Amino acid sequence: FPFAVAVAVAVAWMRLGLMLLLPALAWALVPETLHCGAVKRLPALTPAVSRVPRSVAQQRPAFLPRILPPRCAADVEKSVDLVGDGGVLKTVKVEGSGSVPQRGATVEVHYEGKLLGSETQFDSSRKRGKPFSFTLGEGKVIGGWEVGLSSMRVGEKATLVCAPQYAYGAKGMPPVIPPSSTLEFEVELLGVSEAQADASTFAEDNPFSPRTPGDIAQAYEKRLADKAPKREGLEGLLDWAKSIYIFGFFTDEKGELPPWYLNPLITFPSIFVIVGIGFWLGGAPRGGHPR
């Protein structure tokens, strides 16, 4: 009897081990298409395997080598059709942050361009050692770039595949780019400078000016309160004199004066003195009778 119990326990442990080991082996050894979703579930290698929960079946013991990736590249890097007709496909390699740039923004990028299916680069800003900048919406780059960069965020790295109609068209750009060529770009968005909107109203030109009736009344009362009271006596007389056109024309509200030679209190008397001296030296009658 003890021997029969020991055998039963051993068989139970072996069955449990197989239930855990076989799914792990299947996950590591089955073709990659199974991981990519071509087959919805692992093949039932044994009745025990088919009854193992999926969460357990996807586990891999640490001692088993990873022969194939747990997920295919399509699960990690999925292409996005940006225009709806397959003309511009974007595959994100590294996620960015922030908001996407708007029309009129200036973007700074690093890129590498090649023909689709070719490993030869026809252009690279990295090889030149200088990022490339352009303004979205000005039409200075191909359509695929306008669409692709408008969907990226700062720090994002992506692959853009541009069909001929979103690249250089049927004519191409010989001899670098043959006619009707599909292009592939590795693009990294380094920075974005948003366009400054032109103010078109008084409120936009003067954002801190009071605009509601209550704000205007409050601002007027504050201005009256800040205004200096009228002075009395001699100081008040001088203030009144300065308010007259001749004496106060060149004095501003802060009391700042122009250069001395533009001060009417100096120039007007000087002119009278000069004119008087001229008359005196120019032969004005000095008395006596003519003969």
Side-chain angles (χ1 to χ4, degrees), residues 146-168:
E146 291 277 2
V147 175
L149 268 299
S150 297
S151 68
M152 296 180 64
R153 306 175 190 274
V154 175
E156 181 177 328
K157 295 181 181 180
T159 300
L160 297 178
V161 178
C162 305
Q165 64 270 27
Y166 294 96
Y168 293 96

Side-chain angles (χ1 to χ4, degrees), residues 259-291:
W260 65 268
Y261 50 83
L262 294 179
N263 190 338
L265 297 177
I266 299 176
T267 55
F268 286 174
S270 300
I271 291 174
F272 283 114
V273 171
I274 294 173
V275 171
I277 294 175
F279 273 104
W280 186 76
L281 296 177
R286 300 182 182 179
H289 299 281
R291 296 179 181 179

Side-chain angles (χ1 to χ4, degrees), residues 209-232:
S209 296
R211 292 188 288 272
T212 64
D215 292 340
I216 294 174
Q218 185 177 1
Y220 178 73
E221 293 175 357
K222 184 177 184 301
R223 185 174 180 182
L224 291 178
D226 294 340
K227 188 176 181 179
K230 291 184 178 182
R231 295 185 291 184
E232 302 293 339

Side-chain angles (χ1 to χ4, degrees), residues 73-244:
D75 294 332
V76 180
E77 301 172 352
K78 186 176 181 180
S79 296
V80 178
D81 186 355
L82 298 180
V83 291
D85 60 359
V88 182
L89 302 178
K90 185 181 86 167
T91 304
V92 177
K93 303 293 184 180
V94 178
E95 294 286 349
S97 60
S99 58
V100 296
Q102 303 298 318
R103 182 182 178 88
T106 300
V107 296
E108 185 178 52
V109 300
H110 261 316
Y111 70 93
E112 296 174 351
K114 60 184 180 181
L115 302 179
L116 184 64
S118 172
E119 296 300 327
T120 303
Q121 296 180 359
F122 62 80
D123 194 9
S124 174
S125 64
R126 296 188 184 278
K127 288 185 178 180
R128 293 194 300 269
K130 182 179 180 181
F132 175 67
S133 300
F134 70 97
T135 301
L136 292 172
E138 291 187 349
K140 294 183 178 180
V141 296
I142 61 176
W145 269 44
E146 291 277 2
V147 175
L149 268 299
S150 297
S151 68
M152 296 180 64
R153 306 175 190 274
V154 175
E156 181 177 328
K157 295 181 181 180
T159 300
L160 297 178
V161 178
C162 305
Q165 64 270 27
Y166 294 96
Y168 293 96
K171 295 183 178 180
M173 196 174 65
V176 179
I177 300 175
S180 301
S181 296
T182 299
L183 307 181
E184 180 179 340
F185 296 94
E186 299 290 336
V187 185
E188 178 183 2
L189 182 56
L190 303 176
V192 176
S193 298
E194 295 292 347
Q196 297 295 329
D198 296 331
S200 57
T201 64
F202 176 82
E204 292 176 346
D205 290 333
N206 303 273
F208 300 106
S209 296
R211 292 188 288 272
T212 64
D215 292 340
I216 294 174
Q218 185 177 1
Y220 178 73
E221 293 175 357
K222 184 177 184 301
R223 185 174 180 182
L224 291 178
D226 294 340
K227 188 176 181 179
K230 291 184 178 182
R231 295 185 291 184
E232 302 293 339
L234 180 60
E235 293 179 348
L237 180 61
L238 292 176
D239 292 340
W240 172 81
K242 291 179 181 180
S243 65
I244 300 175

